[in-house]
């Protein structure tokens, strides 16, 4: 995923976005302004819903950046260079220049992102409870919505198939078991293809029930299958390595 805009660096890591991230902001803010916020906090003006929706969408994109930074900073700790972080419509990508020396490093790098999302979700739940009042406010509901989304991001990313974080956790465990990162990648790639197909089928099921959210699941499933297939193909051409913890 090539970046369209470069915003600067954090800890020396180039941070950028693909133009499609604007689509994410529009979809999230529109959904919040048209349906979610009016249902949760009725009686406000359209302007209030839209301003809140846009602000929440921007904060959600920032939470995706935190997720990717957790991966990248952990990679730097294990002396794995980070080329860049790029945010796009379906999430974010941390481009690493190689593997850590051990499966333990690979495990911790993969787990860092979901751990960050889990932490943000927990903070959001706590913040929402602190803001709780007799009548729900836009701020309270926005914080709780962000909490739920970050917790969902954590759970979804732990599905056991590359390129998802859960697939990279699986790869690290298989690397530790087999002593061969190439074989571990090949197995995790097959798992990723299976996960992608299941996500796409869930999207089809939603479309059958006339839920437009199925289109998003179809797109995500398609991307997962493509990425998993590409990683499996690359694994077959890598030199054999036997580094273990």
């Amino acid at each position: 995923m090539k970046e369209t805009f470069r915003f600067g660096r954090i800890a020396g890591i180039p941070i950028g976005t693909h133009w499609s991230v604007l689509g994410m902001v529009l979809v999230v803010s529109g959904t919040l302004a048209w349906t979610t916020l009016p249902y949760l906090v009725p009686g406000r003006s359209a302007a209030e819903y839209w301003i809140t929706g846009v602000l929440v969408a921007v904060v959600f994109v920032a939470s995706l950046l935190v997720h990717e930074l957790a991966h990248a900073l952990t990679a730097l700790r294990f002396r794995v260079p980070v080329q860049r972080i790029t945010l796009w419509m379906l999430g974010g990508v941390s481009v690493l220049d190689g593997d850590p020396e051990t499966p333990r490093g690979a495990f911790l790098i993969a787990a860092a992102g979901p751990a960050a999302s889990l932490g943000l979700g927990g903070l959001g739940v706590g913040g929402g409870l602190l803001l709780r009042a007799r009548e729900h406010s836009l701020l309270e509901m926005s914080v709780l919505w962000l909490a739920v989304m970050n917790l969902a991001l954590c759970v979804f990313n732990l599905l056991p198939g590359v390129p998802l974080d859960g697939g990279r956790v699986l790869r690290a465990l298989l690397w530790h078991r087999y002593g061969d990162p190439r074989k571990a990648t090949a197995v995790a790639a097959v798992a990723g293809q299976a996960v992608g197909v299941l996500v796409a089928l869930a999207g089809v099921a939603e479309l059958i029930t006339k839920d437009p959210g199925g289109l998003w699941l179809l797109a995500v499933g398609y991307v997962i299958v493509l990425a998993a297939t590409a990683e499996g193909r690359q694994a077959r051409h890598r030199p054999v390595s036997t580094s273990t913890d």
Side-chain angles (χ1 to χ4, degrees):
M1 180 61 59
K2 295 182 179 180
E3 65 184 22
T4 306
F5 306 103
R6 173 72 62 85
F7 292 108
R9 294 174 179 266
I10 297 177
I13 304 167
I15 308 295
T17 64
H18 186 259
W19 63 266
S20 63
V21 79
L22 295 175
M24 178 200 294
V25 172
L26 288 174
V27 170
V28 171
S29 59
T31 301
L32 287 168
W34 282 329
T35 58
T36 305
L37 291 176
Y39 174 76
L40 295 173
V41 190
R44 305 301 174 89
S45 68
E48 287 179 290
Y49 291 137
W50 270 103
I51 292 171
T52 304
V54 171
L55 290 175
V56 171
V58 171
V59 174
F60 178 62
V61 172
S63 71
L64 295 177
L65 177 57
V66 171
H67 179 107
E68 294 304 324
L69 276 172
H71 287 306
L73 294 175
T74 306
L76 291 178
R77 178 186 171 192
F78 286 94
R79 299 180 180 179
V80 178
V82 181
Q83 294 182 15
R84 67 182 184 278
I85 291 175
T86 303
L87 302 177
W88 69 302
M89 188 169 188
L90 297 182
V93 179
S94 296
V95 182
L96 308 184
D97 191 10
D99 266 337
E101 295 180 354
T102 65
R104 177 177 177 271
F107 177 90
L108 292 175
I109 291 170
S117 294
L118 178 62
L120 290 174
L123 288 173
V125 170
L129 292 176
L130 288 175
L131 292 167
R132 199 167 188 178
R134 184 171 298 177
E135 292 185 3
H136 295 311
S137 68
L138 286 173
L139 178 59
E140 176 194 350
M141 290 296 99
S142 296
V143 170
L144 288 175
W145 184 89
L146 286 166
V148 170
M149 292 304 294
N150 274 285
L151 293 174
L153 182 66
C154 171
V155 172
F156 181 79
N157 268 281
L158 286 176
L159 292 176
V162 296
L164 298 173
D165 297 332
R168 304 206 182 282
V169 168
L170 174 63
R171 175 183 179 270
L173 295 174
L174 293 172
W175 180 3
H176 178 72
R177 177 179 178 181
Y178 298 138
D180 182 359
R182 187 178 66 173
K183 182 177 181 181
T185 300
V187 175
V190 172
Q193 291 171 327
V195 167
V197 169
L198 290 175
V199 170
L201 289 175
V204 172
E206 287 197 355
L207 289 175
I208 291 173
T209 61
K210 299 183 180 180
D211 184 344
L215 289 173
W216 183 82
L217 287 178
L218 268 175
V220 171
Y222 177 71
V223 170
I224 290 173
V225 170
L226 284 184
T229 301
E231 288 209 29
R233 188 180 300 116
Q234 291 171 4
R236 290 193 293 271
H237 294 91
R238 288 176 186 165
V240 177
S241 173
T242 58
S243 175
T244 60
D245 279 320

